[in-house]
PDB file of all heavy atoms in Angstrom:
ATOM      1  N   GLY A 448      30.585 -31.942  -5.211  1.00  0.00           N
ATOM      2  CA  GLY A 448      31.321 -31.390  -4.078  1.00  0.00           C
ATOM      3  C   GLY A 448      30.356 -30.809  -3.020  1.00  0.00           C
ATOM      4  O   GLY A 448      30.527 -31.017  -1.836  1.00  0.00           O
ATOM      5  N   MET A 449      29.381 -30.081  -3.492  1.00  0.00           N
ATOM      6  CA  MET A 449      28.348 -29.519  -2.576  1.00  0.00           C
ATOM      7  C   MET A 449      27.627 -30.656  -1.801  1.00  0.00           C
ATOM      8  O   MET A 449      27.385 -30.498  -0.584  1.00  0.00           O
ATOM      9  CB  MET A 449      27.310 -28.686  -3.360  1.00  0.00           C
ATOM     10  CG  MET A 449      27.813 -27.378  -3.908  1.00  0.00           C
ATOM     11  SD  MET A 449      26.444 -26.545  -4.764  1.00  0.00           S
ATOM     12  CE  MET A 449      27.319 -25.177  -5.553  1.00  0.00           C
ATOM     13  N   TYR A 450      27.337 -31.730  -2.496  1.00  0.00           N
ATOM     14  CA  TYR A 450      26.659 -32.853  -1.840  1.00  0.00           C
ATOM     15  C   TYR A 450      27.560 -33.467  -0.786  1.00  0.00           C
ATOM     16  O   TYR A 450      27.126 -33.746   0.314  1.00  0.00           O
ATOM     17  CB  TYR A 450      26.288 -33.888  -2.894  1.00  0.00           C
ATOM     18  CG  TYR A 450      25.686 -35.141  -2.368  1.00  0.00           C
ATOM     19  CD1 TYR A 450      24.492 -35.114  -1.600  1.00  0.00           C
ATOM     20  CD2 TYR A 450      26.264 -36.377  -2.596  1.00  0.00           C
ATOM     21  CE1 TYR A 450      23.963 -36.260  -1.103  1.00  0.00           C
ATOM     22  CE2 TYR A 450      25.713 -37.564  -2.090  1.00  0.00           C
ATOM     23  CZ  TYR A 450      24.571 -37.505  -1.323  1.00  0.00           C
ATOM     24  OH  TYR A 450      24.029 -38.653  -0.836  1.00  0.00           O
ATOM     25  N   SER A 451      28.831 -33.671  -1.108  1.00  0.00           N
ATOM     26  CA  SER A 451      29.769 -34.230  -0.165  1.00  0.00           C
ATOM     27  C   SER A 451      29.943 -33.353   1.069  1.00  0.00           C
ATOM     28  O   SER A 451      30.036 -33.837   2.180  1.00  0.00           O
ATOM     29  CB  SER A 451      31.143 -34.432  -0.838  1.00  0.00           C
ATOM     30  OG  SER A 451      32.141 -34.811   0.076  1.00  0.00           O
ATOM     31  N   LEU A 452      29.944 -32.040   0.843  1.00  0.00           N
ATOM     32  CA  LEU A 452      30.208 -31.061   1.908  1.00  0.00           C
ATOM     33  C   LEU A 452      28.924 -30.681   2.649  1.00  0.00           C
ATOM     34  O   LEU A 452      29.008 -29.866   3.630  1.00  0.00           O
ATOM     35  CB  LEU A 452      30.826 -29.801   1.302  1.00  0.00           C
ATOM     36  CG  LEU A 452      32.209 -30.040   0.667  1.00  0.00           C
ATOM     37  CD1 LEU A 452      32.597 -28.836  -0.178  1.00  0.00           C
ATOM     38  CD2 LEU A 452      33.269 -30.284   1.767  1.00  0.00           C
ATOM     39  N   GLY A 453      27.783 -31.226   2.276  1.00  0.00           N
ATOM     40  CA  GLY A 453      26.553 -30.950   3.010  1.00  0.00           C
ATOM     41  C   GLY A 453      25.919 -29.643   2.625  1.00  0.00           C
ATOM     42  O   GLY A 453      24.985 -29.135   3.318  1.00  0.00           O
ATOM     43  N   MET A 454      26.342 -29.049   1.517  1.00  0.00           N
ATOM     44  CA  MET A 454      25.745 -27.801   1.071  1.00  0.00           C
ATOM     45  C   MET A 454      24.373 -28.021   0.405  1.00  0.00           C
ATOM     46  O   MET A 454      23.542 -27.088   0.358  1.00  0.00           O
ATOM     47  CB  MET A 454      26.685 -27.083   0.095  1.00  0.00           C
ATOM     48  CG  MET A 454      28.015 -26.693   0.719  1.00  0.00           C
ATOM     49  SD  MET A 454      29.204 -26.081  -0.547  1.00  0.00           S
ATOM     50  CE  MET A 454      28.493 -24.525  -0.984  1.00  0.00           C
ATOM     51  N   ILE A 455      24.176 -29.220  -0.151  1.00  0.00           N
ATOM     52  CA  ILE A 455      22.856 -29.634  -0.663  1.00  0.00           C
ATOM     53  C   ILE A 455      22.542 -31.007  -0.122  1.00  0.00           C
ATOM     54  O   ILE A 455      23.470 -31.743   0.276  1.00  0.00           O
ATOM     55  CB  ILE A 455      22.839 -29.643  -2.243  1.00  0.00           C
ATOM     56  CG1 ILE A 455      23.926 -30.557  -2.793  1.00  0.00           C
ATOM     57  CG2 ILE A 455      22.955 -28.228  -2.778  1.00  0.00           C
ATOM     58  CD1 ILE A 455      23.895 -30.681  -4.316  1.00  0.00           C
ATOM     59  N   ASP A 456      21.273 -31.373  -0.120  1.00  0.00           N
ATOM     60  CA  ASP A 456      20.858 -32.651   0.481  1.00  0.00           C
ATOM     61  C   ASP A 456      20.943 -33.813  -0.471  1.00  0.00           C
ATOM     62  O   ASP A 456      21.086 -34.971  -0.017  1.00  0.00           O
ATOM     63  CB  ASP A 456      19.397 -32.521   1.019  1.00  0.00           C
ATOM     64  CG  ASP A 456      19.265 -31.483   2.091  1.00  0.00           C
ATOM     65  OD1 ASP A 456      20.236 -31.331   2.896  1.00  0.00           O
ATOM     66  OD2 ASP A 456      18.221 -30.831   2.160  1.00  0.00           O
ATOM     67  N   ASN A 457      20.809 -33.582  -1.765  1.00  0.00           N
ATOM     68  CA  ASN A 457      20.900 -34.682  -2.750  1.00  0.00           C
ATOM     69  C   ASN A 457      21.296 -34.111  -4.097  1.00  0.00           C
ATOM     70  O   ASN A 457      21.255 -32.873  -4.310  1.00  0.00           O
ATOM     71  CB  ASN A 457      19.546 -35.409  -2.860  1.00  0.00           C
ATOM     72  CG  ASN A 457      18.388 -34.441  -3.134  1.00  0.00           C
ATOM     73  OD1 ASN A 457      18.335 -33.838  -4.209  1.00  0.00           O
ATOM     74  ND2 ASN A 457      17.466 -34.289  -2.200  1.00  0.00           N
ATOM     75  N   LEU A 458      21.713 -35.015  -4.997  1.00  0.00           N
ATOM     76  CA  LEU A 458      22.212 -34.547  -6.279  1.00  0.00           C
ATOM     77  C   LEU A 458      21.094 -34.018  -7.148  1.00  0.00           C
ATOM     78  O   LEU A 458      21.362 -33.217  -8.097  1.00  0.00           O
ATOM     79  CB  LEU A 458      22.902 -35.733  -7.008  1.00  0.00           C
ATOM     80  CG  LEU A 458      24.205 -36.246  -6.352  1.00  0.00           C
ATOM     81  CD1 LEU A 458      24.754 -37.395  -7.166  1.00  0.00           C
ATOM     82  CD2 LEU A 458      25.218 -35.123  -6.257  1.00  0.00           C
ATOM     83  N   GLU A 459      19.842 -34.387  -6.894  1.00  0.00           N
ATOM     84  CA  GLU A 459      18.744 -33.895  -7.717  1.00  0.00           C
ATOM     85  C   GLU A 459      18.569 -32.373  -7.581  1.00  0.00           C
ATOM     86  O   GLU A 459      17.947 -31.737  -8.470  1.00  0.00           O
ATOM     87  CB  GLU A 459      17.406 -34.591  -7.261  1.00  0.00           C
ATOM     88  CG  GLU A 459      17.282 -36.013  -7.848  1.00  0.00           C
ATOM     89  CD  GLU A 459      18.204 -37.002  -7.184  1.00  0.00           C
ATOM     90  OE1 GLU A 459      18.741 -36.710  -6.106  1.00  0.00           O
ATOM     91  OE2 GLU A 459      18.408 -38.085  -7.739  1.00  0.00           O
ATOM     92  N   GLN A 460      19.174 -31.786  -6.563  1.00  0.00           N
ATOM     93  CA  GLN A 460      19.089 -30.347  -6.397  1.00  0.00           C
ATOM     94  C   GLN A 460      19.903 -29.583  -7.454  1.00  0.00           C
ATOM     95  O   GLN A 460      19.844 -28.350  -7.516  1.00  0.00           O
ATOM     96  CB  GLN A 460      19.545 -29.907  -4.991  1.00  0.00           C
ATOM     97  CG  GLN A 460      18.541 -30.281  -3.925  1.00  0.00           C
ATOM     98  CD  GLN A 460      18.974 -29.834  -2.528  1.00  0.00           C
ATOM     99  OE1 GLN A 460      19.222 -30.659  -1.610  1.00  0.00           O
ATOM    100  NE2 GLN A 460      19.109 -28.559  -2.298  1.00  0.00           N
ATOM    101  N   VAL A 461      20.591 -30.328  -8.304  1.00  0.00           N
ATOM    102  CA  VAL A 461      21.335 -29.673  -9.385  1.00  0.00           C
ATOM    103  C   VAL A 461      20.351 -28.898 -10.282  1.00  0.00           C
ATOM    104  O   VAL A 461      20.763 -27.898 -10.951  1.00  0.00           O
ATOM    105  CB  VAL A 461      22.108 -30.709 -10.210  1.00  0.00           C
ATOM    106  CG1 VAL A 461      21.215 -31.628 -11.036  1.00  0.00           C
ATOM    107  CG2 VAL A 461      23.118 -30.041 -11.123  1.00  0.00           C
ATOM    108  N   LYS A 462      19.098 -29.311 -10.317  1.00  0.00           N
ATOM    109  CA  LYS A 462      18.136 -28.642 -11.155  1.00  0.00           C
ATOM    110  C   LYS A 462      18.057 -27.127 -10.904  1.00  0.00           C
ATOM    111  O   LYS A 462      17.937 -26.334 -11.806  1.00  0.00           O
ATOM    112  CB  LYS A 462      16.745 -29.262 -10.985  1.00  0.00           C
ATOM    113  CG  LYS A 462      15.671 -28.687 -11.897  1.00  0.00           C
ATOM    114  CD  LYS A 462      14.349 -29.405 -11.717  1.00  0.00           C
ATOM    115  CE  LYS A 462      13.285 -28.845 -12.682  1.00  0.00           C
ATOM    116  NZ  LYS A 462      11.998 -29.568 -12.582  1.00  0.00           N
ATOM    117  N   SER A 463      18.174 -26.779  -9.612  1.00  0.00           N
ATOM    118  CA  SER A 463      18.109 -25.378  -9.258  1.00  0.00           C
ATOM    119  C   SER A 463      19.408 -24.627  -9.597  1.00  0.00           C
ATOM    120  O   SER A 463      19.440 -23.411  -9.644  1.00  0.00           O
ATOM    121  CB  SER A 463      17.792 -25.227  -7.769  1.00  0.00           C
ATOM    122  OG  SER A 463      18.857 -25.721  -6.951  1.00  0.00           O
ATOM    123  N   LEU A 464      20.490 -25.377  -9.810  1.00  0.00           N
ATOM    124  CA  LEU A 464      21.777 -24.794 -10.097  1.00  0.00           C
ATOM    125  C   LEU A 464      21.956 -24.577 -11.596  1.00  0.00           C
ATOM    126  O   LEU A 464      22.754 -23.679 -11.995  1.00  0.00           O
ATOM    127  CB  LEU A 464      22.922 -25.667  -9.567  1.00  0.00           C
ATOM    128  CG  LEU A 464      22.854 -26.036  -8.070  1.00  0.00           C
ATOM    129  CD1 LEU A 464      24.004 -27.002  -7.719  1.00  0.00           C
ATOM    130  CD2 LEU A 464      22.964 -24.784  -7.187  1.00  0.00           C
ATOM    131  N   VAL A 465      21.326 -25.404 -12.419  1.00  0.00           N
ATOM    132  CA  VAL A 465      21.552 -25.342 -13.833  1.00  0.00           C
ATOM    133  C   VAL A 465      21.001 -24.018 -14.431  1.00  0.00           C
ATOM    134  O   VAL A 465      21.600 -23.466 -15.375  1.00  0.00           O
ATOM    135  CB  VAL A 465      20.868 -26.565 -14.561  1.00  0.00           C
ATOM    136  CG1 VAL A 465      20.801 -26.350 -16.024  1.00  0.00           C
ATOM    137  CG2 VAL A 465      21.626 -27.826 -14.192  1.00  0.00           C
ATOM    138  N   GLY A 466      19.936 -23.535 -13.900  1.00  0.00           N
ATOM    139  CA  GLY A 466      19.344 -22.271 -14.396  1.00  0.00           C
ATOM    140  C   GLY A 466      18.430 -22.502 -15.572  1.00  0.00           C
ATOM    141  O   GLY A 466      17.957 -23.630 -15.811  1.00  0.00           O
ATOM    142  N   LYS A 467      18.191 -21.477 -16.336  1.00  0.00           N
ATOM    143  CA  LYS A 467      17.252 -21.555 -17.445  1.00  0.00           C
ATOM    144  C   LYS A 467      17.784 -22.425 -18.588  1.00  0.00           C
ATOM    145  O   LYS A 467      18.985 -22.658 -18.709  1.00  0.00           O
ATOM    146  CB  LYS A 467      16.984 -20.145 -18.003  1.00  0.00           C
ATOM    147  CG  LYS A 467      16.320 -19.183 -17.030  1.00  0.00           C
ATOM    148  CD  LYS A 467      16.142 -17.814 -17.655  1.00  0.00           C
ATOM    149  CE  LYS A 467      15.537 -16.821 -16.660  1.00  0.00           C
ATOM    150  NZ  LYS A 467      15.407 -15.474 -17.242  1.00  0.00           N
ATOM    151  N   VAL A 468      16.865 -22.964 -19.336  1.00  0.00           N
ATOM    152  CA  VAL A 468      17.220 -23.754 -20.515  1.00  0.00           C
ATOM    153  C   VAL A 468      16.543 -23.195 -21.735  1.00  0.00           C
ATOM    154  O   VAL A 468      15.465 -22.569 -21.663  1.00  0.00           O
ATOM    155  CB  VAL A 468      16.840 -25.263 -20.365  1.00  0.00           C
ATOM    156  CG1 VAL A 468      17.568 -25.884 -19.190  1.00  0.00           C
ATOM    157  CG2 VAL A 468      15.322 -25.414 -20.221  1.00  0.00           C
TER     158      VAL A 468
END
Side-chain angles (χ1 to χ4, degrees):
M449 289 182 189
Y450 176 59
S451 172
L452 297 166
M454 298 171 69
I455 56 177
D456 297 326
N457 54 65
L458 294 179
E459 283 71 17
Q460 287 181 244
V461 71
K462 184 176 182 179
S463 65
L464 305 176
V465 168
K467 297 178 181 178
V468 297

